[in-house]
Amino acid sequence: MSAATHAAPARAARAALNLPYTHVDDIFINGAWTAARGTGRNPVTDPATGELWGSVPDGAPEDVDAAVGSARKAFDGGDWPRLAPSERAAYLVRIAEEVEKRADELSLTNTRENGSPVSESAGAAANAAGIFRYFATLADYLEREDVRAFPKGGGESVVRREPIGVCALIAPWNFPINLVVIKLAPALLAGCTVVIKPASPTPLSLRVIIDAVAAAGVPAGVVNLVTGSGRLGDALVKHPEVAKVAFTGSTPVGRKIAAACGELLRPVTLELGGKSSAIVLPDADLDAMSKVLIRSSMRNTGQTCYISTRILAPASRYEEVVDMVTSTIAAGKQGDPLDPDTVFGPCATESQYRTVLEYVESGLAEGARATTGGRAASLGGGLEGGYFVEPTVFADVTPDMRISREEIFGPVICILKYNDAGGNADEAVELANNTEFGLGGLVFGADPEVALAVADRMDTGSVGINFFASNHAAPFGGRHDSGLGTEYGVEGLNAYLSYKSIHRKV
Ligand code: NAP
Ligand code: MG
């Protein structure tokens, strides 16, 4: 983007964007962009301005049939599942290269769809490429011969790891690229074929990933894309030819998908909501914490599933923590997500905006103290129609308040107090573990051993110590209402495999 572009009002800046996809009437089936059968349309809105700028087909059941049929044909009769894993890995590396070439169009389309600041979406291509490259390194694991002796002798078993079949990949709108790629890369390495359904608000950025897959020469039918509402997702989950479902999204929809898959005895991976806690130990370095706080507790304007939106502060340093969190969040610039300096953008959709404002109201009504924010933001320069909520910090939050228990998925942080008089973090651990969820978490503390011991007591899928990150090579997944199964790592690859043991006498 030129300097002139972001100096211009928000609408002019958008008119100047030359995005590859806006209004489209096709979906990706059997290696080609193909007219959808569904005649309905789903709008794509820019949450920073409220402008409608794109649209996609609202797919019909026939579109799901065509996509699954294409994936099934590629699985049953095509080369893909029969290639050596190292040959598939070479495709993954080529996809990574093609994704990197499309970094700008990916970033800008993503930002226009869901309002993620470009400071966030600019990393989407590199992140996606990193995931493809990481899974490519697991070809060795798939190729390694696995022969196991019978414990009592007399025979051995050859253990095969076979691709599970056609996989349905269903994603939410907050990270529309990453949350597909963490499913697509292991599915492809395993030798599966896939049908992807993006979330309704964010159907366009994924087309750029499909272009990269096609440019990398992945055979026709291996990757298919349909667009449409949750109804279409439901048809995909229940399609008789689908062998596995991988879903990221909300807990209520996850439960419905789990119920459908239970009935069908269909393997399913669910990455759902979260309400994670950052435990601040009494010896924590608050200056260091302030440097990671926006990322660890309000990344992507609070629309990140595993951020720690509850901060558990020791009573002995409560006001100090409140001051640090308040000043750090208040200093983050909210504005046009296309502006590289913007830290906080809008909520991704109008309905999410209303939900977040309802939570803010409920926090105020239940007696929490807004130390910054606490209302809708009104921005000028063409952003008047955008879905902006002021980044909000609530102090004096108690565990029974709704804002303390439920996932808000917006720019709202709650600070709770724990009693550290006994010199240990028992009450903090109890508070952290006392939610329905178990996805992320953080410990801030100066003593690495104490911090590790606290992390070990947290009932959650991942914890960062003075550090917020996810590692492609380590399992990522939630406990309790945060989901079933894991993504990333060898564990994430195993979810796309089916085992066969061939026993023989020796
Ligand atoms: P959502 O409403 O659950 O939707 C997720 C996806 O499922 C969308 O593609 C949606 O399509 C589709 N869908 C809706 N109903 C369906 C049904 N009955 N059967 C099959 N598919 C259906 O979630 P969201 O509002 O997009 O995303 C926000 C949620 O995602 C938050 O709760 C957040 O915590 C969670 N999340 C979790 C993780 C994680 O890794 N644990 C990561 C990011 C986000 P439509 O868009 O067309 O409705
Ligand atoms: Mg939804």
Side-chain angles (χ1 to χ4, degrees):
M1 253 187 309
S2 71
T5 309
H6 41 86
R11 286 180 184 249
R14 283 160 174 74
L17 291 176
N18 190 15
L19 299 181
Y21 296 115
T22 54
H23 294 277
V24 299
D25 55 17
D26 49 13
I27 54 181
F28 197 75
I29 311 265
N30 199 28
W33 292 108
T34 308
R37 314 270 175 87
T39 51
R41 306 287 300 165
N42 277 349
V44 183
T45 304
D46 187 328
T49 60
E51 280 173 286
L52 184 142
W53 65 277
S55 59
V56 298
D58 184 12
E62 295 87 330
D63 292 312
V64 171
D65 281 341
V68 175
S70 150
R72 189 80 235 174
K73 193 162 144 261
F75 189 79
D76 291 341
D79 292 338
W80 190 255
R82 283 159 276 278
L83 293 176
S86 55
E87 293 174 292
R88 290 194 295 267
Y91 280 98
L92 265 61
V93 172
R94 284 204 288 281
I95 297 172
E97 289 160 4
E98 293 296 334
V99 166
E100 281 162 340
K101 288 183 198 163
R102 293 165 173 80
D104 285 347
E105 50 194 83
L106 269 173
S107 162
L108 295 174
T109 306
N110 178 351
T111 289
R112 229 188 153 199
E113 282 177 336
N114 74 357
S116 283
V118 285
S119 56
E120 174 70 56
S121 66
N127 189 273
I131 296 169
F132 282 112
R133 287 204 171 89
Y134 164 70
F135 278 101
T137 68
L138 297 186
D140 280 356
Y141 161 79
L142 287 183
E143 283 178 359
R144 207 174 301 145
E145 209 181 41
D146 186 352
V147 181
R148 306 183 195 181
F150 278 70
K152 287 184 177 167
E156 65 181 16
S157 306
V158 180
V159 179
R160 299 289 192 209
R161 289 180 288 262
E162 300 179 350
I164 200 165
V166 174
C167 301
L169 314 183
I170 302 178
W173 42 256
N174 57 330
F175 289 94
I177 300 161
N178 171 281
L179 294 173
V180 170
V181 170
I182 65 177
K183 301 167 176 56
L184 179 61
L188 291 181
L189 183 73
C192 297
T193 62
V194 308
V195 178
I196 305 169
K197 194 206 89 69
S200 293
T202 53
L204 292 170
S205 53
L206 212 57
R207 295 173 67 100
V208 180
I209 295 289
I210 300 291
D211 286 338
V213 166
V218 173
V222 172
V223 177
N224 303 274
L225 173 79
V226 295
T227 56
S229 61
R231 192 179 31 77
L232 194 79
D234 180 61
L236 179 57
V237 165
K238 295 176 180 161
H239 195 286
E241 299 293 325
V242 165
K244 186 216 158 59
V245 177
F247 170 82
T248 298
S250 64
T251 299
V253 173
R255 280 188 208 287
K256 282 192 209 164
I257 291 177
C261 289
E263 187 61 34
L264 293 162
L265 296 179
R266 182 165 293 173
V268 59
T269 306
L270 302 172
E271 299 288 358
L272 309 176
K275 188 79 184 176
S276 307
S277 297
I279 296 182
V280 184
L281 295 174
D283 64 356
D285 175 347
L286 297 188
D287 282 342
M289 181 176 165
S290 77
K291 295 197 172 66
V292 298
L293 182 79
I294 287 179
R295 205 170 156 74
S296 66
S297 293
M298 225 186 249
R299 180 177 181 188
N300 201 24
T301 320
Q303 300 165 119
T304 306
C305 54
Y306 71 113
I307 51 176
S308 293
T309 54
R310 302 163 99 219
I311 294 181
L312 311 182
S316 59
R317 297 183 73 188
Y318 189 73
E319 286 307 323
E320 218 186 313
V321 172
V322 169
D323 289 349
M324 181 278 287
V325 173
T326 304
S327 59
T328 305
I329 296 300
K333 183 183 166 205
Q334 184 167 41
D336 189 342
L338 286 176
D339 178 343
D341 295 331
T342 291
V343 174
F344 301 117
C347 296
T349 66
E350 187 175 6
S351 81
Q352 193 60 26
Y353 167 77
R354 297 199 185 289
T355 303
V356 173
L357 285 176
E358 273 171 34
Y359 275 112
V360 169
E361 287 302 318
S362 91
L364 294 169
E366 289 190 273
R369 166 167 59 110
T371 58
T372 184
R375 57 184 179 185
S378 31
L379 304 178
L383 303 174
E384 294 80 1
Y387 311 137
F388 292 89
V389 174
E390 286 185 1
T392 299
V393 176
F394 278 121
D396 302 341
V397 175
T398 54
D400 50 304
M401 292 181 186
R402 277 184 65 211
I403 55 169
S404 172
R405 289 182 285 111
E406 298 175 16
E407 181 180 53
I408 300 174
F409 227 57
V412 182
I413 289 177
C414 297
I415 313 180
L416 289 82
K417 187 185 291 182
Y418 71 89
N419 180 355
D420 59 321
N424 60 42
D426 288 354
E427 194 178 307
V429 171
E430 198 184 305
L431 279 170
N433 292 345
N434 191 16
T435 77
E436 312 290 311
F437 299 104
L439 188 56
L442 293 165
V443 181
F444 290 99
D447 182 328
E449 287 191 10
V450 172
L452 183 61
V454 171
D456 279 334
R457 290 161 66 199
M458 291 171 79
D459 183 14
T460 188
S462 62
V463 188
I465 295 181
N466 299 322
F467 178 63
F468 175 80
S470 72
N471 175 356
H472 302 164
F476 173 82
R479 299 180 179 179
H480 313 294
D481 286 5
S482 292
L484 275 181
T486 50
E487 296 190 308
Y488 284 139
V490 112
E491 295 80 1
L493 175 60
N494 286 339
Y496 296 91
L497 298 173
S498 182
Y499 297 94
K500 181 193 288 168
S501 295
I502 304 171
H503 311 298
R504 62 188 178 199
K505 277 196 157 172
V506 284

